[in-house]
């Protein structure tokens, strides 16, 4: 049984409160403040903040929330009717939902003219561009990525990112092996690439071990 990593978007008006069932999820406040409530209380996320929640929550605006959710899944992708207006990107990852894993969320900023070395990562993840514009070479494909666009990287395919704007930044959520807690995931593609500067600045939001129990096998 694989897991599903899904990126959802909620445009919240004052008083709106969509219920979200218990599962590991990173809530990124694209426009805040976002109030996140659960049975135990409330947290407030200002613009640009990101936090991990594992219990059932509701979101309150006004604002815009990007939510990266992990759940157990069948062998085929399942998007429920209720999710269709919220989903931005969803993918299956071959990982046992009953085994521990690391969920890591961070922000990557590109200064003017930045170009990353060709590289991979030690795990897969979803990215979404907060601002700016990038040209991404991923494997044999080249993509122009504008603000609001989301994409998935396997970690296995080589990647080069080029900043096409004065500044660009994306938020990223990765799923990693437990042994990578606190460890870097960046893999230079060649020794020559390893000698090049990274060219980006990274802000870590959290790096946390979670388990997706079979009881949470639902996508509603």
């Amino acid at each position: 049984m694989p897991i599903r990593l899904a990126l959802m978007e909620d445009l919240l008006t004052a008083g709106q409160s969509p219920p979200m069932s218990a599962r590991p999820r990173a809530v990124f406040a694209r426009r805040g403040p976002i109030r996140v409530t659960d049975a135990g209380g409330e947290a407030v996320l200002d613009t640009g903040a990101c936090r991990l929640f594992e219990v059932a929550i509701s979101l309150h605006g006004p604002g815009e929330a990007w939510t990266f959710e992990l759940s157990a899944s069948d062998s085929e992708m399942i998007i429920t009717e209720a999710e269709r207006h919220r989903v931005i990107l969803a993918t299956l990852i071959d990982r046992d939902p009953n085994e521990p894993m690391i969920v890591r969320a961070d922000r990557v900023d590109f200064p003017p003219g930045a170009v990353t070395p060709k590289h991979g990562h030690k795990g897969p993840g979803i990215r979404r561009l907060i601002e700016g514009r990038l040209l991404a070479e991923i494997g044999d494909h080249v993509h122009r990525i504008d603000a609001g666009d989301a994409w998935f990287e396997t970690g296995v395919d080589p990647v080069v990112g080029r900043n096409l704007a004065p500044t660009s930044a994306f938020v990223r959520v990765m799923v990693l092996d437990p042994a990578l807690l606190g460890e870097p995931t960046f893999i230079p593609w060649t020794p020559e690439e390893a000698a090049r500067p990274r060219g980006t600045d990274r802000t870590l939001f959290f790096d946390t071990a979670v388990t997706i129990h079979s009881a949470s096998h639902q996508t509603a």
Side-chain angles (χ1 to χ4, degrees), residues 7-31:
L7 167 59
M8 306 291 184
E9 177 183 84
D10 290 289
L11 302 177
L12 304 166
T13 58
Q16 184 176 353
S17 177
M20 299 182 180
S21 58
R23 64 184 53 163
R25 54 169 56 84
V27 179
F28 174 73
R30 178 64 186 90
R31 288 187 295 107

Side-chain angles (χ1 to χ4, degrees), residues 10 38 40 46 81 100 106 144 148 151 175 179 192 194 213:
D10 290 289
D38 60 34
D46 292 325
E81 192 62 34
D106 59 6
R144 191 182 82 169
W151 69 103
V175 181
E192 291 75 20
H213 298 292

Side-chain angles (χ1 to χ4, degrees), residues 13-176:
T13 58
Q16 184 176 353
S17 177
M20 299 182 180
S21 58
R23 64 184 53 163
R25 54 169 56 84
V27 179
F28 174 73
R30 178 64 186 90
R31 288 187 295 107
I34 303 294
R35 292 190 302 115
V36 185
T37 59
D38 60 34
E42 176 180 290
V44 178
L45 303 181
D46 292 325
T47 298
C50 184
R51 181 171 164 180
L52 176 68
F53 298 89
E54 298 183 67
V55 297
I57 61 171
S58 293
L59 304 181
H60 308 258
E64 179 179 346
W66 297 355
T67 303
F68 300 77
E69 300 184 349
L70 284 171
S71 59
S73 181
D74 294 325
S75 59
E76 296 183 2
M77 177 62 66
I78 298 175
I79 300 295
T80 67
E81 192 62 34
E83 292 175 320
R84 294 189 188 280
H85 71 288
R86 300 178 58 231
V87 67
I88 301 298
L89 179 63
T91 188
L92 295 181
I93 297 173
D94 185 16
R95 182 176 287 274
D96 186 345
N98 297 298
E99 295 296 326
M101 65 195 77
I102 302 301
V103 179
R104 181 177 299 173
D106 59 6
R107 172 180 170 138
V108 178
D109 285 85
F110 289 71
V115 180
T116 69
K118 181 180 285 190
H119 67 280
H121 283 280
K122 296 178 183 177
I126 288 178
R127 287 92 166 140
R128 192 176 190 188
L129 196 65
I130 302 167
E131 61 184 8
R133 176 177 292 168
L134 297 177
L135 188 70
E137 302 171 20
I138 304 174
D140 296 327
H141 303 278
V142 178
H143 308 268
R144 191 182 82 169
I145 299 171
D146 293 312
D149 290 346
W151 69 103
F152 174 73
E153 292 183 18
T154 64
V156 176
D157 299 311
V159 176
V160 176
R162 302 174 185 271
N163 184 21
L164 302 181
T167 59
S168 297
F170 63 77
V171 60
R172 170 176 61 187
V173 171
M174 302 179 70
V175 181
L176 307 170

